[in-house]
Amino acid sequence: MTRVPAQPAPQQSSGPALGGPGPGDETQDDLRALFGESTAVFASLAGPAHMVQAANPAFLAAVGEDRVRLGEPLGELLPELAGQGVIAALDRVYRSGKPHAARSTRAVLGEGSDVREGFYDVRYEPRLDAGGNVMGVRILAVEVTQVQQAQQLTAEHRALLEQIARQAPLPDVLDGMARVIEELAPGRVLVSVLLADPDGRRLRHGAAPSLPDFYNQAIDGIATGEGVGSCGTAAHRRQTVIVTDIAQDPFWDDFRALADRAALAACWSTPILGRDGSLLGTFAMYHRVPRIPQEADLALARVFADTAALAIERHHAEAARLAAEEREKAAREDLAFLLEASTALASDLDAAQALQQLAAACVPRLAPLCAVDVIENGRVDRIGTAAPTGSEEALLASHIPVYDAADDAVARVLASGVTEVARRTPTGPGPWQDLGVTGYLCVPLMDRRTAFGTLTLLSTGEHTFDGHTVALAEELARRTAAAARNARQYTSRAALARDLQAGLLLPDLPQVPGVDVATYYHPCGEGLDIGGDFYDLFPLEDGRWAFMLGDVCGRGATAATTTALVRHTVRAVAPLLPTPQDVVGAVNRALVNRPDGHGNGFVTLIYGQLTPGDRGAEVELTRAGHTLPVTVDADRTVSAVHTPGALLGIGLDPHLTSHRLLLRPRESLLLYTDGITEARDPQGQQFGEERLSHALGGLPAEHTARDLVTAVTGAVHDFTGTHHIDDDRAILALTAT
């Protein structure tokens, strides 16, 4: 049997190249190696058995030259074609005499390790004899495997790049890439992608859809180094490592049994490198039989290793961005927590309550359980606790640390002023087992380098204290200590102000025969300063009584000294001088002659003397720059008492006069400071004398001095609402009985 000489087939150019580097670039070379050149295939078959009569070199190369013998049926030479429908198609052409054509027909040729997949544009034509009878079939085909693979690779590569651009999860991208390569690569191939740790010392499982789970688990975390399989060595060398026969290669000595169990015989590994040359991972192609890679195999590995590098770097960048956002979010949450806790702590001006608030602020944000202890009179007092349940809180509150116990964490921190943290129960006795305590954090509360208390946070279950929690607790403890110190200072100053103010006011009103007396005093502010308003009532000789109400310019200590000067001067000279005008004049001289260090503010004052009698109470008074006093008669008619007089303390002659009046039974005299009439509503409008008169005009016929005070203060409160009090308020009411 003779072989028909084959005609040379025309060459076709390679398929369309992927976008990227220009000609001459290494990537372009990889694509040429991948796609190569297409060739024409020809074979002439005879008879219904399709015996091979002639074939060109391209046909022999496609099916294997040693597999074709002239004169033998094609189905017997290449039995794999029957299962792919080729023999059936030849039979139809032979029987019908009609040609058959198909595009991109897939053909799997060869056996074992020599198997090869190809795609062809094929045409089967009948061979006719001189009489027009079909004598055989002619096969004409153009191999388009490279073009088909180029198109498929381009589409799959574009899809992967789109996934990366959409920031698809890295495992999905790597898994999809592995499946694409397993489909595109010639021969049966199993793909694995391992990801490098940040330090490049170990490789972690990334994707391996076709490798057995036990194998992926076994190599997850393998070290990078010389001789550590194909992947560990490739990662160490930063170069492709080809192992064609795992059974014989020393790189696989420690993994040979594992590879044998997974039925792996060859492994080609390519390092995945970042743009800066850093190790990102490895890309491996496994085979079930020993195999030497072709240039197309290596080119495919390089192309997809670069794609994997792009995906991994994009993943790292996104992870870094998310981590930065998470850190920023955590920082914002920490700041919000500190601000909220600090605001709550600072809003309470009681030191004990501020420390009690500390425990509530810590649970559950910092720990499941919290206790706050302070030193009081040489012993430790548990001042605040917080827990998930009332029973747990009561149990925690019942435990009091021992101040001088060496085995107690609170005692040690109080002594050292240093934070203590441990992943165990605190030393010393305590309800630790009942509360399920597994760790503690004890932070000192410092005041001028001395610990005056502790903040103890307790862990339960799986909760632990990390450095972040420790830092947050220490910052909160620092802010709490400052708030407690400020609260103690405020409490001390407020107590001093109250004591001093009490010393300037009457502790108890005296009983005046024939006259009902009532007073009212309300300083503005929070009570840290002494108010400038004052009043007094005391007896004189011959059954007379002296009374006064005034307003000192300013507040605080200076106002207190001026108030004391006025009151003491009045009490000293009133028994000696005949008229209120003389007494007020003496006060003015005392103010003018006071030392510079005792203040220089002016004073407004009403001073008077009343004498109870059968007809009521006779009153003689002097006004020095003060608001006009008013009288309320039995018919509840309100009248202002007009009497001239200038401010005290600004000149030697205040031009004082005296005014006399008679308070008959059920008639009243009301003295008040400008804090009453100048009180403002939220719109800024003043209360004024008219509203004062209206409030007094609504009194009952039988009214007391207290009824006057209540009517005025109630009207002012209704007018101002919750508006801030910006001036002191004082009232002295006298009603003849």
Side-chain angles (χ1 to χ4, degrees):
M1 187 177 296
T2 61
R3 182 186 298 273
V4 177
Q7 301 297 320
Q11 301 268 320
Q12 287 191 355
S13 63
S14 63
L18 296 174
D25 188 88
E26 182 180 348
T27 302
Q28 198 74 11
D29 295 338
D30 289 340
L31 296 178
R32 291 196 187 97
L34 276 171
F35 304 139
E37 297 177 342
S38 299
T39 56
V41 174
F42 169 80
S44 180
L45 310 178
H50 311 304
M51 293 182 294
V52 179
Q53 284 189 328
N56 71 344
F59 182 88
L60 300 177
V63 302
E65 189 169 353
D66 57 343
R67 302 183 67 199
V68 177
R69 294 181 299 277
L70 298 182
E72 294 190 21
L74 182 65
E76 295 180 4
L77 296 174
L78 306 175
E80 65 269 23
L81 296 181
Q84 300 175 53
V86 175
I87 302 301
L90 293 173
D91 289 342
R92 286 194 298 273
V93 173
Y94 184 83
R95 289 194 302 268
S96 66
K98 296 180 180 180
H100 171 77
R103 297 182 62 83
S104 300
T105 300
R106 179 176 180 268
V108 179
L109 305 171
E111 298 174 336
S113 61
D114 295 328
V115 69
R116 177 179 178 274
E117 179 185 61
F119 292 86
Y120 298 87
D121 287 347
V122 63
R123 181 177 177 82
Y124 303 140
E125 295 181 348
R127 293 175 56 211
L128 305 177
D129 59 12
N133 299 313
V134 177
M135 56 180 293
V137 179
R138 182 181 297 110
I139 299 176
L140 299 172
V142 175
E143 184 172 3
V144 293
T145 302
Q146 292 83 0
V147 175
Q148 182 76 12
Q149 288 181 342
Q151 293 173 344
Q152 188 174 0
L153 178 61
T154 300
E156 298 290 358
H157 193 261
R158 183 183 298 112
L160 288 173
L161 293 177
E162 289 176 354
Q163 276 190 302
I164 296 171
R166 292 197 309 269
Q167 297 181 349
L170 181 63
D172 294 350
V173 175
L174 297 180
D175 185 81
M177 184 182 72
R179 295 181 186 278
V180 166
I181 298 169
E182 290 176 349
E183 181 180 348
L184 293 180
R188 183 76 174 99
V189 62
L190 299 88
V191 173
S192 168
V193 178
L194 298 178
L195 303 176
D197 282 348
D199 58 6
R201 295 182 178 181
R202 293 195 174 273
L203 299 172
R204 307 289 176 180
H205 173 72
S210 300
L211 288 174
D213 290 340
F214 73 84
Y215 184 85
N216 292 330
Q217 294 171 6
I219 65 172
D220 186 16
I222 63 168
T224 60
E226 188 69 18
V228 185
S230 300
C231 294
T233 306
H236 174 69
R237 293 181 177 181
R238 305 293 204 274
Q239 296 176 351
T240 300
V241 171
I242 305 298
V243 173
T244 59
D245 189 352
I246 290 176
Q248 305 297 326
D249 197 290
F251 287 174
W252 283 80
D253 288 346
D254 296 335
F255 305 96
R256 190 166 290 115
L258 179 66
D260 183 63
R261 182 184 171 196
L264 303 175
C267 179
W268 317 327
S269 183
T270 302
I272 302 173
L273 303 178
R275 285 170 293 181
D276 58 355
S278 60
L279 178 68
L280 302 177
T282 58
F283 172 84
M285 302 172 71
Y286 290 88
H287 295 271
R288 299 291 190 187
V289 296
R291 184 171 174 187
I292 299 173
Q294 304 298 315
E295 181 58 31
D297 298 316
L298 300 179
L300 186 67
R302 288 192 293 268
V303 168
F304 278 93
D306 290 342
T307 305
L310 179 62
I312 296 170
E313 286 191 315
R314 186 65 175 266
H315 171 74
H316 287 173
E318 180 64 11
R321 183 187 67 81
L322 293 176
E325 289 181 353
E326 196 64 29
R327 289 193 298 271
E328 181 182 356
K329 178 183 176 183
R332 288 197 305 268
E333 290 176 349
D334 290 346
L335 181 59
F337 167 69
L338 289 174
L339 289 176
E340 181 180 356
S342 300
T343 302
L345 293 170
S347 64
D348 201 323
L349 297 177
D350 183 272
Q353 292 182 10
L355 293 173
Q356 290 170 356
Q357 296 235 12
L358 172 60
C362 291
V363 175
R365 179 66 168 80
L366 299 182
L369 303 168
C370 178
V372 178
D373 302 293
V374 297
I375 303 174
E376 293 287 351
N377 301 320
R379 63 186 299 272
V380 176
D381 283 344
R382 178 143 292 177
I383 198 169
T385 56
T389 66
S391 59
E392 289 175 315
E393 186 169 345
L395 187 60
L396 187 59
S398 66
H399 168 251
I400 305 298
V402 180
Y403 178 45
D404 55 356
D407 63 343
D408 192 276
V410 171
R412 289 194 299 271
V413 172
L414 285 172
S416 66
V418 178
T419 298
E420 188 173 310
V421 60
R423 292 187 178 182
R424 55 173 174 77
T425 58
T427 56
W432 317 129
Q433 185 174 357
D434 294 337
L435 291 172
V437 175
T438 57
Y440 69 92
L441 168 63
C442 190
V443 182
L445 300 172
M446 306 295 291
D447 185 2
R448 296 178 179 87
R449 301 185 179 180
T450 300
F452 68 88
T454 60
L455 166 65
T456 303
L457 303 176
L458 300 170
S459 291
T460 60
E462 299 298 322
H463 180 273
T464 58
F465 296 109
D466 54 17
H468 171 261
T469 304
V470 173
L472 206 56
E474 289 181 330
E475 175 61 20
L476 184 58
R478 184 188 66 78
R479 296 185 179 209
T480 302
R485 180 170 60 251
N486 293 338
R488 287 198 300 270
Q489 291 175 349
Y490 174 85
T491 302
S492 176
R493 290 180 59 189
L496 177 62
R498 285 195 303 269
D499 293 343
L500 186 54
Q501 188 80 67
L504 298 176
L505 299 174
L506 292 176
D508 296 300
L509 288 175
Q511 296 293 325
V512 180
V515 177
D516 183 30
V517 181
T519 61
Y520 169 81
Y521 180 78
H522 193 298
C524 70
E526 298 179 342
L528 291 180
D529 291 331
I530 292 61
D533 292 1
F534 63 92
Y535 59 83
D536 200 359
L537 178 67
F538 58 92
L540 297 172
E541 297 177 353
D542 304 327
R544 294 179 299 140
W545 287 81
F547 64 88
M548 64 178 168
L549 184 140
D551 188 356
V552 174
C553 176
R555 297 179 58 79
T558 301
T561 59
T562 303
T563 299
L565 175 62
V566 173
R567 290 184 71 236
H568 294 158
T569 300
V570 170
R571 281 184 172 251
V573 304
L576 305 177
L577 299 177
T579 66
Q581 181 178 345
D582 296 328
V583 173
V584 176
V587 171
N588 183 64
R589 288 190 295 273
L591 291 172
V592 172
N593 295 327
R594 62 188 155 174
D596 292 339
H598 290 184
N600 55 9
F602 61 84
V603 175
T604 68
L605 180 67
I606 294 178
Y607 170 75
Q609 297 173 354
L610 66 86
T611 305
D614 296 338
R615 297 187 304 160
E618 295 180 0
V619 176
E620 182 180 5
L621 60 82
T622 296
R623 185 179 72 90
H626 200 76
T627 54
L628 295 176
V630 296
T631 59
V632 183
D633 63 18
D635 296 328
R636 289 156 296 183
T637 300
V638 180
S639 303
V641 179
H642 293 276
T643 177
L647 300 172
L648 303 180
I650 59 174
L652 292 177
D653 186 6
H655 304 290
L656 302 172
T657 62
S658 291
H659 182 84
R660 292 177 179 272
L661 58 93
L662 174 64
L663 294 179
R664 295 180 177 85
R666 295 188 300 164
E667 293 185 345
S668 303
L669 174 66
L670 183 74
L671 313 180
Y672 58 92
T673 60
D674 57 6
I676 297 293
T677 52
E678 294 180 2
R680 297 180 182 273
D681 65 5
Q683 288 71 42
Q685 187 175 2
Q686 290 188 351
F687 183 71
E689 287 81 2
E690 184 176 348
R691 289 186 178 86
L692 175 68
S693 298
H694 181 74
L696 294 174
L699 289 169
E702 299 290 336
H703 62 266
T704 64
R706 177 55 54 189
D707 292 335
L708 270 73
V709 172
T710 301
V712 172
T713 56
V716 171
H717 182 271
D718 292 342
F719 177 73
T720 60
T722 58
H723 191 58
H724 176 69
I725 298 176
D726 53 10
D727 196 4
D728 303 327
R729 298 173 185 172
I731 299 175
L732 174 61
L734 305 171
T735 301
T737 61

